[in-house]
Amino acid sequence: MSSLTFQNFRHQNLQGRSFKGEDLTNEDFSYADIRGADFTNATLNGANFHYARCGIARKSQINIFLIVALLSAISGIAAVIAVDNTFKSLIPKTTEHIGFLPTAIILLVNAMLLTTIIRQGIQKALDYLGIATAIFVPLIGFLSAFSNDKHPILSWLRSFRSGALRSALSGETKGNDVPFLIVTLTAAVVATTIAIVALPLALTLAEIVLGRAIAALALFEAVAISAIATGIIARNSLRYLKASVLIQAGVVDNTNNKCYDFLNNCVKKFPDPPVVILAIAGAVMLAVALILLGTYITKRVLTEDDKYAIIRQLAIVLGATGGTSFRNTQLAHTNFSYATLKNTDFRFANIHRTMWHQARCLDWARVDETILINPAVRELLVTGNGYHKSYQGMDLRGANLIGANLSYAKLQTADLSQATLEAANLEYAILSQVQAIGADFSSAQMTGVCGLGTWNIDSTTKLEWVDCKWVYLLEEPKPGTDDRERRPSGKDSYQPGEFTTFFAEVVNTVDLIFKYGVDWKAFMESFQQVQRENPGIKLNIQSIENKGNGIVIKIAVPPETDKAKINNDFNSFYQEALQVLGTEAPALQNSAEQRQYLLSVMEDIVRPLSEQVVLLKLERGDLKQGFEVSADILCDRKRLGITLKGKLPPKPEISENYQKWQEIYDFNRKRNNRGIRIEQAQLTNFSIQELKNQAEQVEMDVNNWLKSEQFHQINQALHDKLNRTDEVRVIVQTEDNLLRKLPWHRWEFFDNYCHAEVALSRPESNRVKKSVPSRKKVRILAVLGDSTGINLDKDRKILENLQGAETIFLDKPSRQLLDQYLTDQTGWDILSFSGHSKSEVDGSTGVICINDTDNLTVEQLKDSLKIAIQKGLEIAIFNSCDGLGLAKQLEDLDIPQIIVMRELVPDLIAQEFLKAFLKAFVGGKSFYVSVREARKRLKDYDGQIPGVSWLPVICQNKAEFPKTWRELQGNG
C-alpha cells in the first residue's frame, strides 16, 4: 500500500537517499541537495525541485575520478603504441631490413583516419573501419588459402598465412614486409582510434562531473605519459637506427651483422646523429599532437557536435551512473526551474508539462525516451526563446512552454499535443499541420499566425483569452495571388474573445446539412428525439445558414461529445420522421404549419437558458434529532409555486465521520497552505488510504441521508419537475456550521444533473439599493495579503491576464489603503483576496491577514465594504483557508455572491481553483457552472489529497441573481 509523505524537504541534504516507488506528489524539494538520490518509479507529480542540486554524490565522484584517470592513462599509452608502430619500419634490426614504404603507408592510413574523424566524426570513422575490417579480414583469409610453393606469386601469398602474421607480431620479418605491414598497420590504427576516443571521453567526463581542474589534470596525465613513454621507447628503439646510420657512414665495422649482436659496444661511444635526435623529437611531437587532437574533439563534444555524439552519449551514461535517478518516474507538472541537473537519469520519465525554465546542465542529463533527447527542444524548454527558430516536425508533446517566445517560429508538422503554451508569444508563427490536441493556448499572443486551416485541434484544445487580431488559414498564398485567407477578412480585427469563439465553433458544433430543404416538423421531432436519447448532453441550435441550394444548421454541443453519434442519430430519426410524414425529399415550404415550426426553431436559438433554483431549508433540528425540511422550486424572475415538505432523519455518524476526516486532513495539511499561524506539523507519514476511506465514508453518509424515506418525496419531486439539461442552483439554507461544511455536491442528484451546483445561504436576504457608476471593463480589486510560505505570484498572473478586465493589485496593503480602494468612486465588480485567513471553530467570524503584521475581521471593513456593494460589488472571492466565518459576516452585508474555502487549502489547490473558475466564467459560463467546472478540475487531486475537491463553496444572497461575465461588463 502506497503512502503519502507530507514533509518539507526544502534545503535538506538528501544525498544518496532512496525514494524508490514512493508517492511524493506535490512535495517540496526546493534548494535540496539530492545528489545520488534514487527516485526510480516514484510519483512526483507537481513536486517542486526549484534550485535543487542533482548529480553524483561525493562518494561516487571517487569512482568517476578513477575512471577518468584510467581513460587518460589508456589514451596516453595508446598514443605511444600508435607512434611506436608507425615508425617500426624505420628501426631495422638487420642491415637488410630498412624500409620506408611501410611507414609511409601507416602514416597515410592514420592521416586518412584522423581527417575522417575531424571532418565527418568518430561514428563515420568507426563505420569505415568496420567496413575495411569486413573486407580485408576475409580477403586475407582468401589469399592465404590459395598460397603454395608451385609458383612465385602463389608462394608470395604465404605471407598472408596466420603463421607469418604471428611471426611479424613477434618481430620476425623473414625478409617479407607484408606481414610486418599488416600487423603494424592494424596496431597503429587500433591504437590511434583508442587514443582519439579515450581522451575526449575522459576529459568530457571530468568536465561534466568533476570540474575543469580535474579535466586539466587528466590532460596533463595523458600528455605526460605519451611524451615521456614515447621518448623513452623511441630512444631505446632508435639505437638500431643509430647503428644503421653509423654503419652506412663507414664509421663502425659491421661484418656479419655483429654490431646488432653487440649494439652497446658498437655505438655507445658515438654521439647520436641529428637524424636520430630528429626522429625522437618527431615521435614525441606526434604522440603529443595525437593527444592535443583529443582536446579539440573534447571541445566539439561539449558543444554537442553531432559528429561526436557517441562520445557524448558514453560520457552521459557513465556520468549518470550513481547520479540522481528519476528513471521511469512520474514528473507531470513538476518544477525543475533553476535546478542543477547534470549526471541525472530521466530515462522513460513522464515529463508531461514539467517546468525546465533556466535549469542548469540539462544537456548532461540522461534523457533517453523523452522529448528532451532533441537538443533544440531541450534549449527551448530551458530558455523559453524560440524566436525565428525552426521546430518543424519536432516532438513537443506535453512540453511546458508557458510564456515562451515563439514569434516567427516554424512549427510545421510539429506535435504539440498536451503541451501548454499559456501566455506564449506565437505572433506570426507557422502552425501548418501542427498536432494540437489537448494543447493549452490560454492567453497566448497569436496575431498573424498562419496555417491554421490545417492545424489539428479538438474540444480539449484550450483557446481561452487568446490575444489575437487576425490569423491566416493558409501558410502560402493561393497560386497567382497574395491571398492567404486572412481571418477576419478585409482589414477588420478580432474583438476580445472572438478568436476563441471562431475556433471553438469548429470543434464544438455538429453541422446538419440539408441539400434539398428542410421539413421543419420532421426536424423538430428528430431534434427532440436526439435530445431524449442523449439526456446528459445539452444541445442548442446555434444558427441556420443558406449554402447555395442547401441549408446548414449548426448544433452547439458540449466538449467531449461524440459528434459523429449525434449526427448519425439525427439523420436516422429525421429519415424515419420523413417516412411517417410521407415526405421523401422536401423542398423549402411556405405553409403556415412549416412557418410555425421554423419559428419554434428560431425561438430555440434566441431563447435564454432555463435556470432553475431549488431552495432547501433545513430548520429546527440537528444531526442527533433530525431536521424539518422544505424545498421550493423557483425560476429566476418567476416563482413556480412549488413547495415540498419533508424531513431528514437523525444521522449523528455524519458529524463523527466528518470530524475524523477533518482531523486527519488538518493535521497533515499544516504546511504550504493559506491559513494563519498554523504550527508546523512534525514530519509524518500516513496512509493515503486512511484519508480516502474516511472521505468516502462521509460522502456515503451524506448520500444515504439524502436518500432516506422521509426525504424521498422531495428527492422524487426534484427529478420529476426539473429537466436534466437545465442549469439548477441548489441553495442550502442553514446556519448549522457542520451542515455548511458537508460536501453537498456529492449528493447523487448532482450526478444526474450535470449543470447543477450547490450554494449556502442564510435565512434572511436583502437586496442593497445600488448606484453603479458607468465602467467599460469588469473592475477587479485583487488584494494579495501575507504570502509567508505560499506563492501568490500565480494568483497575480491568473488575474492580470483576464481579458476585458481592469485589475488593480494591492500587495500587502495597510488597512487605510485597503479602505481607500474599497471606497473608490468608480466601484468594483469583483473583490479577490489571496493570502492567509482563518475562521473561528463555530464559523461565526473570521480574519484575513492583509500584510505581514495586520489581521482584519470583516467587521473592521464593514463600512468600506458597504460602499463597495452600493457601487456594484457582485462577487467576493476569498482564495484562502477556512473561510466560512468570513462568509457568514459577508453575508450579513448582502454581497450577492461569495466564494470561500471550507477548510485549510493547499497553495496549489487554491491556484488551480482560481485559474479554472475564471477560465470558465470569463469564457461565458454561468457563475454556478464555472464553480462546478473548477471543482471538477480539483477532483483530479482527490486521489492525492482525498476530500480536497470539497473545499470551494458558494455563499448566495437569495435576493440577488448571479450575473455572467458579460453582464458584469455591462455594469453601469
mmCIF file of all heavy atoms in Angstrom, residues 405-445:
data_model
loop_
_atom_site.group_PDB
_atom_site.id
_atom_site.type_symbol
_atom_site.label_atom_id
_atom_site.label_comp_id
_atom_site.label_asym_id
_atom_site.label_seq_id
_atom_site.Cartn_x
_atom_site.Cartn_y
_atom_site.Cartn_z
ATOM 1 N N ASN A 405 8.765 32.555 -26.022
ATOM 2 C CA ASN A 405 8.763 33.439 -27.186
ATOM 3 C C ASN A 405 8.951 32.588 -28.443
ATOM 4 O O ASN A 405 10.052 32.163 -28.760
ATOM 5 C CB ASN A 405 9.879 34.472 -27.081
ATOM 6 C CG ASN A 405 9.872 35.444 -28.261
ATOM 7 O OD1 ASN A 405 8.990 35.397 -29.114
ATOM 8 N ND2 ASN A 405 10.852 36.322 -28.308
ATOM 9 N N LEU A 406 7.855 32.343 -29.160
ATOM 10 C CA LEU A 406 7.885 31.552 -30.386
ATOM 11 C C LEU A 406 7.421 32.380 -31.576
ATOM 12 O O LEU A 406 6.954 31.829 -32.572
ATOM 13 C CB LEU A 406 6.995 30.316 -30.221
ATOM 14 C CG LEU A 406 7.566 29.214 -29.313
ATOM 15 C CD1 LEU A 406 6.480 28.247 -28.887
ATOM 16 C CD2 LEU A 406 8.685 28.457 -30.016
ATOM 17 N N SER A 407 7.569 33.690 -31.468
ATOM 18 C CA SER A 407 7.170 34.527 -32.592
ATOM 19 C C SER A 407 8.052 34.221 -33.795
ATOM 20 O O SER A 407 9.260 34.024 -33.666
ATOM 21 C CB SER A 407 7.261 36.004 -32.214
ATOM 22 O OG SER A 407 8.567 36.347 -31.812
ATOM 23 N N TYR A 408 7.418 34.156 -34.963
ATOM 24 C CA TYR A 408 8.071 33.835 -36.234
ATOM 25 C C TYR A 408 8.679 32.432 -36.251
ATOM 26 O O TYR A 408 9.465 32.111 -37.142
ATOM 27 C CB TYR A 408 9.140 34.872 -36.576
ATOM 28 C CG TYR A 408 8.594 36.257 -36.832
ATOM 29 C CD1 TYR A 408 8.528 37.191 -35.799
ATOM 30 C CD2 TYR A 408 8.137 36.636 -38.098
ATOM 31 C CE1 TYR A 408 8.016 38.459 -36.014
ATOM 32 C CE2 TYR A 408 7.628 37.898 -38.322
ATOM 33 C CZ TYR A 408 7.569 38.811 -37.278
ATOM 34 O OH TYR A 408 7.061 40.063 -37.494
ATOM 35 N N ALA A 409 8.348 31.606 -35.307
ATOM 36 C CA ALA A 409 8.902 30.242 -35.281
ATOM 37 C C ALA A 409 8.227 29.377 -36.343
ATOM 38 O O ALA A 409 7.052 29.560 -36.662
ATOM 39 C CB ALA A 409 8.712 29.623 -33.905
ATOM 40 N N LYS A 410 8.992 28.427 -36.876
ATOM 41 C CA LYS A 410 8.461 27.490 -37.863
ATOM 42 C C LYS A 410 8.116 26.183 -37.140
ATOM 43 O O LYS A 410 8.997 25.454 -36.692
ATOM 44 C CB LYS A 410 9.501 27.234 -38.955
ATOM 45 C CG LYS A 410 9.846 28.483 -39.755
ATOM 46 C CD LYS A 410 10.914 28.187 -40.799
ATOM 47 C CE LYS A 410 11.264 29.444 -41.598
ATOM 48 N NZ LYS A 410 12.316 29.181 -42.603
ATOM 49 N N LEU A 411 6.820 25.916 -37.040
ATOM 50 C CA LEU A 411 6.356 24.750 -36.276
ATOM 51 C C LEU A 411 5.580 23.777 -37.157
ATOM 52 O O LEU A 411 4.813 22.954 -36.650
ATOM 53 C CB LEU A 411 5.471 25.219 -35.114
ATOM 54 C CG LEU A 411 6.206 25.964 -33.992
ATOM 55 C CD1 LEU A 411 5.243 26.828 -33.196
ATOM 56 C CD2 LEU A 411 6.905 24.978 -33.059
ATOM 57 N N GLN A 412 5.779 23.844 -38.459
ATOM 58 C CA GLN A 412 5.035 22.970 -39.348
ATOM 59 C C GLN A 412 5.204 21.505 -38.930
ATOM 60 O O GLN A 412 6.312 21.032 -38.675
ATOM 61 C CB GLN A 412 5.510 23.115 -40.794
ATOM 62 C CG GLN A 412 5.341 24.510 -41.379
ATOM 63 C CD GLN A 412 6.620 25.304 -41.328
ATOM 64 O OE1 GLN A 412 7.295 25.325 -40.307
ATOM 65 N NE2 GLN A 412 6.966 25.964 -42.420
ATOM 66 N N THR A 413 4.082 20.797 -38.888
ATOM 67 C CA THR A 413 4.004 19.351 -38.586
ATOM 68 C C THR A 413 4.541 18.990 -37.209
ATOM 69 O O THR A 413 4.729 17.809 -36.916
ATOM 70 C CB THR A 413 4.716 18.502 -39.659
ATOM 71 O OG1 THR A 413 6.135 18.698 -39.575
ATOM 72 C CG2 THR A 413 4.229 18.836 -41.052
ATOM 73 N N ALA A 414 4.834 19.970 -36.365
ATOM 74 C CA ALA A 414 5.294 19.658 -35.004
ATOM 75 C C ALA A 414 4.145 19.050 -34.202
ATOM 76 O O ALA A 414 2.969 19.300 -34.479
ATOM 77 C CB ALA A 414 5.824 20.911 -34.311
ATOM 78 N N ASP A 415 4.483 18.267 -33.209
ATOM 79 C CA ASP A 415 3.474 17.643 -32.346
ATOM 80 C C ASP A 415 3.437 18.391 -31.025
ATOM 81 O O ASP A 415 4.316 18.253 -30.179
ATOM 82 C CB ASP A 415 3.817 16.167 -32.112
ATOM 83 C CG ASP A 415 2.654 15.408 -31.471
ATOM 84 O OD1 ASP A 415 1.720 16.080 -30.966
ATOM 85 O OD2 ASP A 415 2.670 14.170 -31.476
ATOM 86 N N LEU A 416 2.398 19.217 -30.845
ATOM 87 C CA LEU A 416 2.215 19.995 -29.618
ATOM 88 C C LEU A 416 1.101 19.415 -28.750
ATOM 89 O O LEU A 416 0.567 20.108 -27.873
ATOM 90 C CB LEU A 416 1.873 21.447 -29.968
ATOM 91 C CG LEU A 416 3.027 22.296 -30.517
ATOM 92 C CD1 LEU A 416 2.478 23.597 -31.099
ATOM 93 C CD2 LEU A 416 4.054 22.598 -29.446
ATOM 94 N N SER A 417 0.754 18.168 -28.968
ATOM 95 C CA SER A 417 -0.323 17.545 -28.193
ATOM 96 C C SER A 417 -0.032 17.638 -26.704
ATOM 97 O O SER A 417 1.079 17.331 -26.258
ATOM 98 C CB SER A 417 -0.475 16.071 -28.587
ATOM 99 O OG SER A 417 -0.715 15.949 -29.969
ATOM 100 N N GLN A 418 -1.041 18.087 -25.945
ATOM 101 C CA GLN A 418 -0.967 18.193 -24.485
ATOM 102 C C GLN A 418 0.064 19.215 -24.005
ATOM 103 O O GLN A 418 0.313 19.318 -22.801
ATOM 104 C CB GLN A 418 -0.656 16.823 -23.859
ATOM 105 C CG GLN A 418 -1.642 15.719 -24.203
ATOM 106 C CD GLN A 418 -3.039 16.027 -23.728
ATOM 107 O OE1 GLN A 418 -3.214 16.569 -22.637
ATOM 108 N NE2 GLN A 418 -4.031 15.703 -24.547
ATOM 109 N N ALA A 419 0.676 19.970 -24.915
ATOM 110 C CA ALA A 419 1.638 20.988 -24.490
ATOM 111 C C ALA A 419 0.893 22.182 -23.903
ATOM 112 O O ALA A 419 -0.282 22.413 -24.206
ATOM 113 C CB ALA A 419 2.496 21.440 -25.668
ATOM 114 N N THR A 420 1.556 22.927 -23.052
ATOM 115 C CA THR A 420 0.960 24.151 -22.512
ATOM 116 C C THR A 420 1.744 25.355 -23.020
ATOM 117 O O THR A 420 2.954 25.451 -22.819
ATOM 118 C CB THR A 420 0.903 24.131 -20.974
ATOM 119 O OG1 THR A 420 0.370 25.366 -20.507
ATOM 120 C CG2 THR A 420 2.271 23.923 -20.343
ATOM 121 N N LEU A 421 1.030 26.237 -23.698
ATOM 122 C CA LEU A 421 1.628 27.450 -24.248
ATOM 123 C C LEU A 421 0.916 28.675 -23.681
ATOM 124 O O LEU A 421 0.717 29.680 -24.369
ATOM 125 C CB LEU A 421 1.547 27.454 -25.776
ATOM 126 C CG LEU A 421 2.370 26.362 -26.465
ATOM 127 C CD1 LEU A 421 1.473 25.238 -26.943
ATOM 128 C CD2 LEU A 421 3.179 26.913 -27.623
ATOM 129 N N GLU A 422 0.536 28.594 -22.432
ATOM 130 C CA GLU A 422 -0.137 29.711 -21.782
ATOM 131 C C GLU A 422 0.741 30.969 -21.853
ATOM 132 O O GLU A 422 1.929 30.927 -21.544
ATOM 133 C CB GLU A 422 -0.433 29.383 -20.316
ATOM 134 C CG GLU A 422 -1.483 28.318 -20.108
ATOM 135 C CD GLU A 422 -1.773 28.118 -18.638
ATOM 136 O OE1 GLU A 422 -2.325 29.022 -17.999
ATOM 137 O OE2 GLU A 422 -1.424 27.036 -18.112
ATOM 138 N N ALA A 423 0.121 32.055 -22.269
ATOM 139 C CA ALA A 423 0.794 33.363 -22.341
ATOM 140 C C ALA A 423 2.023 33.344 -23.246
ATOM 141 O O ALA A 423 2.875 34.225 -23.154
ATOM 142 C CB ALA A 423 1.173 33.854 -20.949
ATOM 143 N N ALA A 424 2.132 32.345 -24.115
ATOM 144 C CA ALA A 424 3.272 32.290 -25.040
ATOM 145 C C ALA A 424 3.069 33.294 -26.175
ATOM 146 O O ALA A 424 1.942 33.641 -26.536
ATOM 147 C CB ALA A 424 3.439 30.879 -25.599
ATOM 148 N N ASN A 425 4.173 33.755 -26.743
ATOM 149 C CA ASN A 425 4.140 34.664 -27.881
ATOM 150 C C ASN A 425 4.305 33.852 -29.161
ATOM 151 O O ASN A 425 5.392 33.371 -29.467
ATOM 152 C CB ASN A 425 5.250 35.708 -27.768
ATOM 153 C CG ASN A 425 5.187 36.742 -28.886
ATOM 154 O OD1 ASN A 425 4.366 36.638 -29.796
ATOM 155 N ND2 ASN A 425 6.047 37.735 -28.821
ATOM 156 N N LEU A 426 3.197 33.687 -29.904
ATOM 157 C CA LEU A 426 3.213 32.915 -31.146
ATOM 158 C C LEU A 426 2.944 33.805 -32.357
ATOM 159 O O LEU A 426 2.585 33.296 -33.426
ATOM 160 C CB LEU A 426 2.155 31.808 -31.072
ATOM 161 C CG LEU A 426 2.474 30.636 -30.145
ATOM 162 C CD1 LEU A 426 1.210 29.916 -29.738
ATOM 163 C CD2 LEU A 426 3.429 29.664 -30.816
ATOM 164 N N GLU A 427 3.137 35.095 -32.201
ATOM 165 C CA GLU A 427 2.820 36.000 -33.296
ATOM 166 C C GLU A 427 3.629 35.653 -34.552
ATOM 167 O O GLU A 427 4.848 35.478 -34.494
ATOM 168 C CB GLU A 427 3.090 37.440 -32.871
ATOM 169 C CG GLU A 427 2.098 37.926 -31.809
ATOM 170 C CD GLU A 427 2.294 39.390 -31.453
ATOM 171 O OE1 GLU A 427 3.364 39.937 -31.794
ATOM 172 O OE2 GLU A 427 1.384 39.975 -30.843
ATOM 173 N N TYR A 428 2.903 35.524 -35.671
ATOM 174 C CA TYR A 428 3.474 35.259 -36.994
ATOM 175 C C TYR A 428 4.185 33.899 -37.067
ATOM 176 O O TYR A 428 4.974 33.656 -37.974
ATOM 177 C CB TYR A 428 4.422 36.383 -37.422
ATOM 178 C CG TYR A 428 3.729 37.730 -37.459
ATOM 179 C CD1 TYR A 428 3.852 38.615 -36.391
ATOM 180 C CD2 TYR A 428 2.920 38.083 -38.534
ATOM 181 C CE1 TYR A 428 3.180 39.833 -36.400
ATOM 182 C CE2 TYR A 428 2.257 39.302 -38.553
ATOM 183 C CZ TYR A 428 2.390 40.183 -37.485
ATOM 184 O OH TYR A 428 1.722 41.376 -37.491
ATOM 185 N N ALA A 429 3.906 33.019 -36.135
ATOM 186 C CA ALA A 429 4.450 31.654 -36.209
ATOM 187 C C ALA A 429 3.695 30.863 -37.270
ATOM 188 O O ALA A 429 2.567 31.199 -37.644
ATOM 189 C CB ALA A 429 4.338 30.968 -34.851
ATOM 190 N N ILE A 430 4.317 29.809 -37.753
ATOM 191 C CA ILE A 430 3.703 28.941 -38.762
ATOM 192 C C ILE A 430 3.245 27.659 -38.069
ATOM 193 O O ILE A 430 4.059 26.917 -37.519
ATOM 194 C CB ILE A 430 4.693 28.607 -39.896
ATOM 195 C CG1 ILE A 430 5.228 29.899 -40.530
ATOM 196 C CG2 ILE A 430 4.013 27.747 -40.942
ATOM 197 C CD1 ILE A 430 6.305 29.656 -41.575
ATOM 198 N N LEU A 431 1.924 27.416 -38.098
ATOM 199 C CA LEU A 431 1.362 26.257 -37.395
ATOM 200 C C LEU A 431 0.702 25.277 -38.358
ATOM 201 O O LEU A 431 -0.194 24.526 -37.962
ATOM 202 C CB LEU A 431 0.343 26.722 -36.349
ATOM 203 C CG LEU A 431 0.878 27.614 -35.227
ATOM 204 C CD1 LEU A 431 -0.233 27.945 -34.236
ATOM 205 C CD2 LEU A 431 2.022 26.937 -34.490
ATOM 206 N N SER A 432 1.144 25.243 -39.592
ATOM 207 C CA SER A 432 0.565 24.321 -40.572
ATOM 208 C C SER A 432 0.732 22.872 -40.111
ATOM 209 O O SER A 432 1.831 22.443 -39.741
ATOM 210 C CB SER A 432 1.250 24.492 -41.931
ATOM 211 O OG SER A 432 1.138 25.815 -42.377
ATOM 212 N N GLN A 433 -0.363 22.123 -40.131
ATOM 213 C CA GLN A 433 -0.383 20.693 -39.827
ATOM 214 C C GLN A 433 0.155 20.372 -38.425
ATOM 215 O O GLN A 433 0.608 19.268 -38.171
ATOM 216 C CB GLN A 433 0.404 19.910 -40.886
ATOM 217 C CG GLN A 433 -0.143 20.096 -42.291
ATOM 218 C CD GLN A 433 0.611 19.286 -43.321
ATOM 219 O OE1 GLN A 433 0.757 18.085 -43.166
ATOM 220 N NE2 GLN A 433 1.086 19.951 -44.368
ATOM 221 N N VAL A 434 0.096 21.345 -37.548
ATOM 222 C CA VAL A 434 0.514 21.099 -36.173
ATOM 223 C C VAL A 434 -0.527 20.234 -35.471
ATOM 224 O O VAL A 434 -1.738 20.425 -35.630
ATOM 225 C CB VAL A 434 0.673 22.444 -35.418
ATOM 226 C CG1 VAL A 434 0.633 22.243 -33.918
ATOM 227 C CG2 VAL A 434 1.976 23.100 -35.816
ATOM 228 N N GLN A 435 -0.062 19.279 -34.688
ATOM 229 C CA GLN A 435 -0.948 18.484 -33.842
ATOM 230 C C GLN A 435 -1.100 19.206 -32.511
ATOM 231 O O GLN A 435 -0.136 19.343 -31.762
ATOM 232 C CB GLN A 435 -0.363 17.083 -33.620
ATOM 233 C CG GLN A 435 -0.262 16.238 -34.878
ATOM 234 C CD GLN A 435 -1.632 15.903 -35.457
ATOM 235 O OE1 GLN A 435 -2.587 15.692 -34.726
ATOM 236 N NE2 GLN A 435 -1.710 15.852 -36.786
ATOM 237 N N ALA A 436 -2.311 19.698 -32.222
ATOM 238 C CA ALA A 436 -2.520 20.492 -31.010
ATOM 239 C C ALA A 436 -3.660 19.945 -30.158
ATOM 240 O O ALA A 436 -4.315 20.691 -29.428
ATOM 241 C CB ALA A 436 -2.791 21.945 -31.382
ATOM 242 N N ILE A 437 -3.884 18.646 -30.224
ATOM 243 C CA ILE A 437 -4.925 18.023 -29.396
ATOM 244 C C ILE A 437 -4.537 18.156 -27.927
ATOM 245 O O ILE A 437 -3.448 17.764 -27.517
ATOM 246 C CB ILE A 437 -5.092 16.528 -29.746
ATOM 247 C CG1 ILE A 437 -5.408 16.358 -31.234
ATOM 248 C CG2 ILE A 437 -6.181 15.908 -28.874
ATOM 249 C CD1 ILE A 437 -6.682 17.002 -31.689
ATOM 250 N N GLY A 438 -5.427 18.740 -27.126
ATOM 251 C CA GLY A 438 -5.160 18.877 -25.693
ATOM 252 C C GLY A 438 -4.185 19.974 -25.346
ATOM 253 O O GLY A 438 -3.843 20.149 -24.179
ATOM 254 N N ALA A 439 -3.722 20.738 -26.336
ATOM 255 C CA ALA A 439 -2.773 21.820 -26.055
ATOM 256 C C ALA A 439 -3.503 22.996 -25.396
ATOM 257 O O ALA A 439 -4.692 23.216 -25.618
ATOM 258 C CB ALA A 439 -2.081 22.279 -27.336
ATOM 259 N N ASP A 440 -2.761 23.732 -24.582
ATOM 260 C CA ASP A 440 -3.332 24.861 -23.850
ATOM 261 C C ASP A 440 -2.713 26.164 -24.372
ATOM 262 O O ASP A 440 -1.549 26.449 -24.111
ATOM 263 C CB ASP A 440 -3.061 24.699 -22.351
ATOM 264 C CG ASP A 440 -3.779 25.748 -21.509
ATOM 265 O OD1 ASP A 440 -4.337 26.698 -22.096
ATOM 266 O OD2 ASP A 440 -3.782 25.610 -20.269
ATOM 267 N N PHE A 441 -3.517 26.939 -25.126
ATOM 268 C CA PHE A 441 -3.061 28.215 -25.676
ATOM 269 C C PHE A 441 -3.646 29.397 -24.895
ATOM 270 O O PHE A 441 -3.696 30.514 -25.414
ATOM 271 C CB PHE A 441 -3.458 28.336 -27.148
ATOM 272 C CG PHE A 441 -2.762 27.375 -28.068
ATOM 273 C CD1 PHE A 441 -3.318 26.148 -28.380
ATOM 274 C CD2 PHE A 441 -1.541 27.693 -28.637
ATOM 275 C CE1 PHE A 441 -2.693 25.252 -29.228
ATOM 276 C CE2 PHE A 441 -0.898 26.816 -29.493
ATOM 277 C CZ PHE A 441 -1.471 25.580 -29.780
ATOM 278 N N SER A 442 -4.098 29.176 -23.679
ATOM 279 C CA SER A 442 -4.742 30.234 -22.906
ATOM 280 C C SER A 442 -3.842 31.470 -22.831
ATOM 281 O O SER A 442 -2.657 31.368 -22.522
ATOM 282 C CB SER A 442 -5.045 29.743 -21.487
ATOM 283 O OG SER A 442 -5.876 28.612 -21.512
ATOM 284 N N SER A 443 -4.424 32.618 -23.131
ATOM 285 C CA SER A 443 -3.741 33.913 -23.039
ATOM 286 C C SER A 443 -2.549 34.037 -23.979
ATOM 287 O O SER A 443 -1.731 34.944 -23.821
ATOM 288 C CB SER A 443 -3.292 34.187 -21.594
ATOM 289 O OG SER A 443 -4.394 34.167 -20.712
ATOM 290 N N ALA A 444 -2.409 33.140 -24.944
ATOM 291 C CA ALA A 444 -1.293 33.234 -25.895
ATOM 292 C C ALA A 444 -1.513 34.403 -26.854
ATOM 293 O O ALA A 444 -2.639 34.800 -27.138
ATOM 294 C CB ALA A 444 -1.143 31.935 -26.673
ATOM 295 N N GLN A 445 -0.421 34.969 -27.356
ATOM 296 C CA GLN A 445 -0.471 36.026 -28.364
ATOM 297 C C GLN A 445 -0.330 35.366 -29.730
ATOM 298 O O GLN A 445 0.697 34.765 -30.030
ATOM 299 C CB GLN A 445 0.664 37.019 -28.130
ATOM 300 C CG GLN A 445 0.637 37.684 -26.757
ATOM 301 C CD GLN A 445 1.898 38.479 -26.496
ATOM 302 O OE1 GLN A 445 2.256 39.348 -27.270
ATOM 303 N NE2 GLN A 445 2.566 38.172 -25.390
#
